[in-house]
Amino acid sequence: MNKTIALLVFPLLPFLLAACQSPGRPGENNSGACREPHRPQFHFSPPEKWMNDPNGMVFYDGEYHLFYQHYPDSNVWGPMHWGHAVSTDLVHWEHLPIALYPDSLGYIFSGSAVVDRNNTSGFGQDGKPPLVAIFTYHNMPAEKAGRKDFQYQGIAYSNDKGRGWTKYAGNPVVPNTGNIRDFRDPKVIWHEDSQQWIMVFAAYDHVKFWGSKDLKKWEHLSDFGKEWGSHGGVWECPDLFPLKVEERGETKWVLLLSINPGGPNGGSATQYFIGNFDGKSFTPDASFSPSVKGEKAVWLDYGRDNYAGVTWSDIPKEDGRRLFLGWMSNWDYAQAVPTEAWRSAMTLPRSLELRKTQAGYRLFSQPVRELASLRENTRALEPGDIQRQLDLTQKTGLSPAQMELILEFEPRPGAPADFGVELSNSKGERYRVGYNAATGRFYSDRTGAGQHAFSEKFGAAVHTAPRLSTGKTIRFHLCFDVASAELFADEGATVMTDIFFPTETFSMAKIYVDKGRVNLVRGEAWALKRIWD
Ligand code: FRU
């Protein structure tokens, strides 16, 4: 490096390193960090290489931890590690070194982490509670040798805020009982009423509940699910938590369950159940059932790109939110998407609420309020009828590449309306997210949104979702981030998350009305700042 450049670059190094750290290396000029084509600008993505499920999400000492399934040597799936990042606001992330490496017991598959406040495990030091991670070991040689019991649960602990981890010498803590090939993804919670730790994990077509007093010795409590929900694929990544029902004095238990394939629009997706957990077994409410004829499950998100999501552990009581994050991809094509330096991102962190609707108890998802800290250039749209279209680029001057929109529509009496938001570029590629009153469904259409030849399963069909709300006003809350769209319709009653890969960044946005007549009763738009600077 010549001297002048060195003089300029060295004072900047701390800032450059705090950035996305990709593709440059320390000492190299990486001012282009995280600006590759298709790189999300306000979603979490790994600095480089392969990522899948979020893991070990726990809040401790002011930090939200995010671990993730990671293969540091390639941009496709391989021997799994736990990558690691922390955030103090759920929006900006600091990348940390890999937390868990494969060992002689196997690869480190998905799992969770807890703060062991009462040091039940005895792993604590100096009166401080340890962080304990609970994960699945996947023993590849055992699988290759034709055994079925190659997955089992192990634990590790940290006494330095999740920076350094020690695997427990007594692993595995839950051996593979019953010779079940799919025996994985433990989520652990403290169950106050029965004063014990509860582990829920997936076992092919059901979940298992195990209990423990110390996180080390576990006993089997019960099974759930063989006769419940959707079974179009293998069950994975469960989560179990209590949630207060909004505006009612009751609390219900929520069981999230990812399934692959078998999602409502194909491939990977997440279903859920609402019911009761008594410290031993989970019982769904008698009235809990899908609202749509022919559907077997109630889905958290109808888009194709929200999988293996679970919620943060140990969110302080004063906060009280149930915070969720999913992997923004789908096993149908995750390993083939057209990004090279890294592969895939997480969804926006979301706050989950439980409401009683006319269809029964339902989860509502909304982006966390912290996201608003990225807003700039607020633009209000004039209310009024929209005839055929409203040019959002011209009205707001904002780039649709990084944009948030809140739009409230009231269809006028007459022909059923078909309307929504379209992003496009000079190549004629376009993405549409809309609502069709004739079918009563929202839709997300990436069939013409750019590259899709990498997988025949990617751009084949328009994705649709039933509208749950019966309100007259149809509310779109949209977040667009370079290569993804998240629709939180009607305060999060219907959610769709989809990724796309235009060959040139989308530069134009409009509201379109293809059929019927629509009144825009409220419209707001924001540019969202990137998180890596
Ligand atoms: C879900 C999943 C998990 C497993 C992990 C492996 O996407 O298949 O069941 O633990 O990914 O990377």
Side-chain angles (χ1 to χ4, degrees):
M1 192 184 303
N2 89 29
K3 224 170 153 193
T4 339
I5 298 182
L7 278 174
L8 285 172
V9 168
F10 284 135
L12 286 174
L13 262 182
F15 301 101
L16 296 177
L17 293 178
C20 179
Q21 298 167 352
S22 171
R25 302 204 176 281
E28 289 172 9
N29 179 353
N30 64 351
S31 57
C34 284
R35 289 206 188 266
E36 309 96 326
H38 310 309
R39 175 74 94 162
Q41 296 297 303
F42 58 87
H43 285 75
F44 179 83
S45 60
E48 55 174 13
K49 310 297 186 202
W50 172 261
M51 175 180 85
N52 56 293
D53 315 357
N55 293 151
M57 288 147 60
V58 62
F59 180 81
Y60 181 64
D61 208 4
E63 292 177 326
Y64 298 90
H65 288 264
L66 170 59
F67 301 88
Y68 53 89
Q69 288 286 279
H70 183 44
Y71 181 29
D73 296 333
S74 176
N75 60 10
V76 291
W77 191 89
M80 284 291 109
H81 300 54
W82 274 25
H84 190 194
V86 288
S87 171
T88 54
D89 65 359
L90 288 166
V91 174
H92 299 88
W93 295 94
E94 180 190 346
H95 293 295
L96 293 176
I98 289 172
L100 293 174
Y101 285 79
D103 61 46
S104 61
L105 290 177
Y107 300 170
I108 314 296
F109 271 24
S110 287
S112 50
V114 292
V115 182
D116 181 11
R117 289 189 195 287
N118 298 322
N119 195 22
T120 61
S121 61
F123 294 144
Q125 260 176 18
D126 309 325
K128 285 204 192 118
L131 280 177
V132 179
I134 309 94
F135 52 85
T136 297
Y137 270 120
H138 180 101
N139 187 327
M140 213 42 153
E143 182 186 11
K144 288 208 171 118
R147 297 178 68 109
K148 287 190 177 156
D149 58 355
F150 52 84
Q151 293 187 343
Y152 32 79
Q153 325 313 335
I155 60 176
Y157 59 93
S158 168
N159 293 303
D160 61 355
K161 299 179 68 178
R163 271 50 178 188
W165 290 85
T166 307
K167 303 221 183 80
Y168 174 49
N171 279 338
V173 291
V174 176
N176 190 310
T177 49
N179 246 356
I180 304 175
R181 288 178 58 89
D182 300 288
F183 195 82
R184 59 175 177 269
D185 309 336
K187 169 79 183 199
V188 170
I189 59 165
W190 176 251
H191 188 249
E192 198 57 42
D193 290 353
S194 63
Q195 288 289 300
Q196 62 176 334
W197 298 102
I198 299 292
M199 179 194 292
V200 56
F201 62 89
Y204 181 57
D205 58 356
H206 64 280
V207 292
K208 292 191 177 292
F209 296 98
W210 287 56
S212 171
K213 294 282 179 202
D214 63 2
L215 292 163
K216 296 189 280 202
K217 287 185 287 311
W218 293 88
E219 57 158 352
H220 181 215
L221 300 173
S222 68
D223 293 348
F224 167 79
K226 277 195 178 144
E227 286 87 36
W228 288 91
S230 175
H231 285 275
V234 64
W235 282 23
E236 299 183 318
C237 299
D239 193 0
L240 175 74
F241 50 88
L243 202 54
K244 279 211 178 79
V245 185
E246 295 292 303
E247 289 168 17
R248 295 167 71 94
E250 51 180 354
T251 294
K252 293 276 167 192
W253 283 81
V254 180
L255 180 63
L256 297 184
L257 218 286
S258 280
I259 168 172
N260 178 57
N265 283 294
S268 324
T270 302
Q271 58 182 322
Y272 65 89
F273 303 92
I274 308 291
N276 185 41
F277 182 75
D278 62 4
K280 193 160 192 261
S281 41
F282 178 83
T283 318
D285 265 22
S287 64
F288 185 71
S289 65
S291 25
V292 182
K293 260 207 183 128
E295 282 203 344
K296 289 225 162 61
V298 180
W299 301 101
L300 186 68
D301 188 320
Y302 280 82
R304 293 265 271 151
D305 299 297
N306 178 1
Y307 191 59
V310 288
T311 65
W312 260 279
S313 182
D314 291 274
I315 295 299
K317 280 216 171 65
E318 317 82 78
D319 181 321
R321 287 177 297 172
R322 186 45 67 173
L323 301 171
F324 168 97
L325 189 79
W327 174 43
M328 198 156 62
S329 197
N330 189 309
W331 282 116
D332 269 358
Y333 43 73
Q335 301 188 79
V337 296
T339 66
E340 290 303 318
W342 87 102
R343 273 231 172 88
S344 80
M346 297 299 180
T347 67
L348 285 174
R350 300 167 183 188
S351 173
L352 301 183
E353 288 174 10
L354 190 53
R355 297 195 194 169
K356 190 154 194 189
T357 70
Q358 82 292 338
Y361 296 108
R362 288 292 184 270
L363 284 176
F364 283 56
S365 315
Q366 310 228 45
V368 293
R369 57 173 178 259
E370 287 86 340
L371 187 71
S373 68
L374 297 179
R375 287 175 177 170
E376 57 183 2
N377 304 331
T378 307
R379 301 279 189 268
L381 298 169
E382 242 169 72
D385 274 4
I386 300 177
Q387 294 307 335
R388 279 190 48 243
Q389 64 172 59
L390 180 80
D391 187 330
L392 289 171
T393 313
Q394 192 196 16
K395 286 270 182 246
T396 67
L398 302 179
S399 158
Q402 275 167 251
M403 184 166 71
E404 181 181 1
L405 288 169
I406 294 183
L407 304 170
E408 292 180 3
F409 299 101
E410 275 178 18
R412 296 281 190 202
D418 184 341
F419 61 95
V421 173
E422 177 184 297
L423 310 186
S424 60
N425 60 21
S426 71
K427 302 262 179 79
E429 295 162 351
R430 68 172 204 194
Y431 167 75
R432 282 187 159 200
V433 53
Y435 177 69
N436 182 337
T439 58
R441 295 178 82 89
F442 292 96
Y443 56 87
S444 166
D445 181 356
R446 65 182 179 191
T447 57
Q451 288 166 266
H452 55 78
F454 55 87
S455 163
E456 59 184 24
K457 290 183 174 164
F458 186 80
V462 177
H463 311 148
T464 70
R467 181 169 192 236
L468 177 67
S469 168
T470 50
K472 188 165 118 199
T473 307
I474 300 169
R475 187 176 200 265
F476 284 59
H477 185 174
L478 288 161
C479 298
F480 299 117
D481 186 7
V482 184
S484 66
E486 284 158 284
L487 165 69
F488 306 92
D490 303 321
E491 300 186 332
T494 303
V495 180
M496 300 189 83
T497 306
D498 273 339
I499 55 174
F500 40 71
F501 301 95
T503 57
E504 172 192 285
T505 308
F506 287 134
S507 52
M508 295 171 281
K510 67 178 183 186
I511 296 173
Y512 64 88
V513 181
D514 273 5
K515 289 201 191 94
R517 290 195 308 133
V518 163
N519 183 22
L520 178 72
V521 288
R522 177 187 164 206
E524 270 183 290
W526 297 268
L528 293 180
K529 287 181 274 206
R530 75 186 221 113
I531 61 174
W532 300 115
D533 282 337

